[in-house]
């Protein structure tokens, strides 16, 4: 599961579609997904990208201009792309009428193509996007997206902690390890108290309230403390706390949801018994995307920092 919506855009003059790209990006962003565009300036370059199995498998949509300058036209590109990916959705566009574009596609026996005037491209993309991702916009699939994206952030936190530690002097390393030991000792005391509580339970349901070791929350707290101690990346400090307060509790709730099924109808409730709706999941995806970009930026800054 991912928050990216990947588009291969075959267009020889990117300046012609800047406005359309910005609008498409805004439309997709409001659903909590990030537009990723790979531009190809010709049919042959597009085929090179698509022949890369790792890249091609992650393409969600192909946009194909008709007039690509010297070389093959877009209708030839449709036919060649169809040979590589028979089932990828393609939007064929230009400044001419959609009916004329469709006749060109039909003449080459290319099926499953949407036609659009260049100016209407964002609206057509939005419609195709909604059909493509509707299956992942339901609550069950959104849960998987959130869990996967937060796991990616957990890995970024791990990478940041390792890089900060390896770049630092002996004093910081000693302090950092002491912080870990201090936290583990706190948890040890907590576990002793938890053990006493579990021994005294009167219902198996009470077990669900007790879980954890050196958790992702502990590592995030350590990262924030390390950044503060080293006095680096100040602009991102508040984002770490925001992620910890706004996203992680919801992620933890999603790991312990309760599903009520009634025929084809399914309702999902968090640990407090509050129903989660598709609007709740959309808002969480949007917020998560914001923080994921923050962590990506933070890791890039750290890896670029001088030793």
């Amino acid at each position: 599961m991912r928050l990216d919506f990947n588009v291969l855009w075959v267009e020889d003059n990117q300046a012609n579609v800047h406005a359309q790209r910005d609008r498409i990006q805004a439309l997709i962003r409001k659903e909590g997904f990030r537009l990723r565009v790979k531009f190809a300036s010709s049919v042959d370059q597009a085929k090179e990208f698509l022949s890369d199995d790792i890249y091609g498998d992650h393409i969600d949509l192909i946009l194909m201009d008709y007039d690509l300058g010297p070389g093959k036209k877009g209708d030839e590109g449709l036919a060649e792309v169809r040979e590589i990916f028979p089932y990828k959705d393609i939007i064929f566009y230009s400044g001419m009428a959609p009916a004329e574009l469709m006749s060109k596609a039909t003449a080459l026996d290319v099926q499953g193509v949407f036609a659009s005037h260049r100016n209407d491209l964002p609206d057509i993309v939005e419609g195709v996007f909604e059909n493509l991702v509707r299956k992942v916009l339901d609550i069950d699939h959104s849960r998987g997206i959130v869990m996967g994206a937060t796991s990616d952030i957990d890995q970024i936190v791990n990478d940041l902690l390792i890089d900060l530690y390896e770049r630092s002097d002996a004093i910081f390393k000693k302090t950092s390890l002491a912080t870990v030991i201090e936290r583990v000792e706190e948890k040890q005391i907590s576990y002793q108290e938890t053990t006493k509580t579990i021994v005294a339970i009167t219902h198996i349901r009470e077990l669900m309230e007790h879980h954890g070791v050196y958790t992702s929350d502990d590592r995030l707290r350590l990262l924030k403390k390390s950044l503060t101690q080293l006095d680096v990346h100040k602009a991102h400090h508040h984002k770490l706390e925001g992620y910890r307060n706004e996203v992680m509790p919801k992620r933890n709730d999603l790991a312990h949801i309760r599903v009520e099924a009634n025929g084809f109808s399914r309702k999902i409730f968090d640990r407090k018994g509050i129903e989660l709706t598709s609007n709740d999941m959309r808002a969480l995806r949007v917020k998560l995307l914001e923080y994921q970009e923050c962590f990506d930026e933070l890791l890039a800054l750290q890896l670029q920092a001088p030793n």
Side-chain angles (χ1 to χ4, degrees), residues 139-140 257-270 274-277:
I139 297 174
D140 275 347
I257 60 171
R258 176 172 56 86
V259 179
E260 288 187 2
N262 182 9
F264 291 122
S265 174
R266 291 166 59 84
K267 292 185 178 181
I268 295 179
F269 299 85
D270 65 17
I274 299 173
E275 182 180 357
L276 299 174
T277 68

Side-chain angles (χ1 to χ4, degrees), residues 107-124:
L108 292 177
D109 195 28
V110 180
Q111 305 298 318
V113 174
F114 301 89
S116 172
H117 190 280
R118 180 179 285 104
N119 294 339
D120 299 328
L121 197 52
D123 294 329
I124 302 299

Side-chain angles (χ1 to χ4, degrees), residues 77 79 109 112 114 163 219 232 290:
D109 195 28
F114 301 89
D163 196 74
R219 294 192 297 276
V232 294
E290 173 190 333

Side-chain angles (χ1 to χ4, degrees), residues 17-231:
V17 292
H18 277 172
Q20 288 88 339
R21 178 182 178 177
D22 289 346
R23 188 174 164 210
I24 291 169
Q25 181 169 277
L27 290 169
I28 290 175
R29 181 91 185 192
K30 73 179 183 181
E31 291 292 345
F33 290 87
R34 171 175 45 209
L35 178 67
R36 295 288 199 191
V37 175
K38 182 85 168 179
F39 276 104
S41 60
S42 67
V43 171
D44 289 339
Q45 188 177 37
K47 287 175 62 182
E48 288 178 16
F49 294 150
L50 291 172
S51 64
D52 180 341
D53 291 340
I54 295 176
Y55 178 74
D57 285 347
H58 288 82
I59 289 293
D60 298 304
L61 178 64
I62 298 169
L63 305 183
M64 179 76 70
D65 186 22
Y66 170 67
D67 188 357
L68 295 169
K72 299 173 183 175
K73 297 296 185 183
D75 52 347
E76 296 177 81
L78 295 179
E80 296 188 16
V81 167
R82 264 289 167 262
E83 289 182 7
I84 301 172
F85 286 112
Y87 305 111
K88 292 282 185 184
D89 280 311
I90 306 174
I91 299 179
F92 188 31
Y93 71 93
S94 80
M96 65 180 68
E100 190 175 349
L101 285 173
M102 285 304 299
S103 67
K104 293 181 180 296
T106 302
L108 292 177
D109 195 28
V110 180
Q111 305 298 318
V113 174
F114 301 89
S116 172
H117 190 280
R118 180 179 285 104
N119 294 339
D120 299 328
L121 197 52
D123 294 329
I124 302 299
V125 170
E126 183 180 26
V128 174
F129 167 79
E130 288 179 351
N131 286 331
L132 285 172
V133 302
R134 183 169 289 130
K135 62 185 178 184
V136 303
L137 291 183
D138 65 72
I139 297 174
D140 275 347
H141 284 85
S142 287
R143 178 192 182 207
I145 290 173
V146 171
M147 300 299 285
T150 53
S151 293
D152 291 343
I153 290 176
D154 286 347
Q155 185 57 52
I156 291 175
V157 171
N158 293 344
D159 292 341
L160 282 164
L161 285 171
I162 292 169
D163 196 74
L164 287 166
Y165 183 86
E166 291 180 344
R167 289 172 181 257
S168 301
D169 58 26
I171 295 176
F172 174 82
K173 290 177 179 177
K174 183 177 180 180
T175 302
S176 182
L177 293 176
T179 299
V180 173
I181 293 170
E182 180 183 357
R183 180 62 178 161
V184 171
E185 289 175 344
E186 290 175 358
K187 284 178 166 284
Q188 187 176 24
I189 294 172
S190 175
Y191 290 155
Q192 291 172 352
E193 295 300 319
T194 299
T195 300
K196 295 178 183 177
T197 303
I198 292 176
V199 169
I201 66 172
T202 59
H203 193 290
I204 200 72
R205 184 183 294 112
E206 297 172 54
L207 279 177
M208 311 311 166
E209 300 174 10
H210 307 289
H211 52 83
V213 182
Y214 202 85
T215 63
S216 55
D217 181 63
D218 294 320
R219 294 192 297 276
L220 189 62
R221 290 169 61 174
L222 177 62
L223 175 60
K224 183 182 177 186
K225 185 171 184 177
S226 298
L227 294 176
T228 301
Q229 184 176 345
L230 293 169
D231 198 26

